[in-house]
Amino acid sequence: DTGVSQDPRHKITKRGQNVTFRCDPISEHNRLYWYRQTLGQGPEFLTYFQNEAQLEKSRLLSDRFSAERPKGSFSTLEIQRTEQGDSAMYLCASSLGLGVRNTEAFFGQGTRLTVV
Amino acid sequence: DQQVKQNSPSLSVQEGRISILNCDYTNSMFDYFLWYKKYPAEGPTFLISISSIKDKNEDGRFTVFLNKSAKHLSLHIVPSQPGDSAVYFCAASRPTGYALNFGKGTSLLVTP
């Protein structure tokens, strides 16, 4: 399967714990995005990488959230001191950026986080 | 502030008929629009897109229409099939931005 891969698919954690999610984008894609989706809402943008550089962050990304993309390949999203409000589906997407114009972003299946 | 709005949470259509899903946007800087389809427990799947320099784009059974003056776009599915039953998200982006702004989605049910 050469699509966007996310791990784990599901994560249940206790409030206050730290969690880390991994995303493996489509191999030739240089752009990688993280989105969050809660029930009844569309995906909300969190952050964006072009290769290894994190170029854009949403105000939704509080200081408890950190994302990395070492070497411009896979990416990790870490949430520290989780809160119940962090419960959501975390989606990763990748695209092949040509200049300033994006091509369509391809999404992974997401990681469902439940904070209890 | 929701910049992309899908005002119909759900739509039910008979198989073989046309499905029309609507989307409105408020940010005049948006110049690229996309539709994604999402099945339960899966990530969104890209369906079709349109640039603001066009007013129509067609791909098989799917056609997207863009009315820039009204800041409105629509997705037409003809003929609708039961396998089209899913949540459809409208999304938009700015020329110099990389984030997609999504609407809340419309749940389409195509009945046999």
Side-chain angles (χ1 to χ4, degrees):
Chain A
D1 187 352
T2 56
V4 178
S5 177
Q6 292 189 245
D7 183 71
R9 293 289 308 277
H10 303 275
K11 178 71 176 178
I12 299 174
T13 190
K14 291 184 178 179
R15 189 176 52 186
Q17 297 293 304
N18 299 343
V19 293
T20 300
F21 310 139
R22 178 181 170 120
C23 171
D24 288 274
I26 294 172
S27 58
E28 63 267 27
H29 285 182
N30 59 341
R31 293 180 173 170
L32 186 146
Y33 316 79
W34 285 98
Y35 287 81
R36 180 179 72 183
Q37 186 177 17
T38 53
L39 196 62
Q41 302 294 318
E44 297 172 293
F45 171 75
L46 292 178
T47 190
Y48 153 74
F49 290 87
Q50 177 152 321
N51 300 311
E52 68 276 9
Q54 188 174 19
L55 297 185
E56 195 172 344
K57 286 196 283 189
S58 161
R59 57 184 163 76
L60 293 175
L61 211 67
S62 76
D63 56 6
R64 295 185 298 106
F65 288 70
S66 62
E68 294 182 344
R69 193 183 182 196
K71 303 179 183 177
S73 54
F74 71 93
S75 176
T76 57
L77 177 68
E78 181 184 16
I79 309 174
Q80 296 181 326
R81 306 181 302 281
T82 52
E83 302 173 354
Q84 286 189 319
D86 297 331
S87 297
M89 174 75 83
Y90 290 84
L91 293 162
C92 177
S94 69
S95 70
L96 182 62
L98 304 171
V100 296
R101 182 75 277 168
N102 270 327
T103 61
E104 297 79 19
F106 293 83
F107 282 82
Q109 292 183 299
T111 294
R112 168 74 64 189
L113 174 66
T114 302
V115 182
V116 297
Chain B
D1 181 31
Q2 194 82 20
Q3 298 184 72
V4 177
K5 300 178 183 179
Q6 295 177 257
N7 293 319
S8 297
S10 62
L11 176 67
S12 183
V13 171
Q14 269 193 316
E15 181 178 8
R17 300 285 186 101
I18 183 172
S19 296
I20 300 177
L21 295 93
N22 293 304
C23 178
D24 297 291
Y25 61 96
T26 58
N27 191 335
S28 58
M29 297 297 293
F30 289 149
D31 76 331
Y32 192 59
F33 304 90
L34 307 91
W35 285 93
Y36 282 83
K37 180 170 72 173
K38 186 179 183 302
Y39 293 117
E42 293 186 12
T45 303
F46 169 73
L47 199 55
I48 192 169
S49 63
I50 187 167
S51 166
S52 60
I53 61 173
K54 296 184 175 181
D55 54 19
K56 177 182 174 182
N57 188 27
E58 192 171 354
D59 184 2
R61 297 186 298 113
F62 303 91
T63 303
V64 56
F65 295 92
L66 175 63
N67 182 333
K68 289 187 293 293
S69 61
K71 295 192 179 68
H72 176 84
L73 62 157
S74 60
L75 175 68
H76 292 210
I77 306 174
V78 183
S80 301
Q81 300 173 352
D84 296 328
S85 298
V87 178
Y88 289 78
F89 291 99
C90 173
S93 70
R94 294 175 288 116
T96 54
Y98 304 100
L100 290 176
N101 297 268
F102 283 86
K104 292 187 178 183
T106 296
S107 179
L108 174 66
L109 177 65
V110 180
T111 57

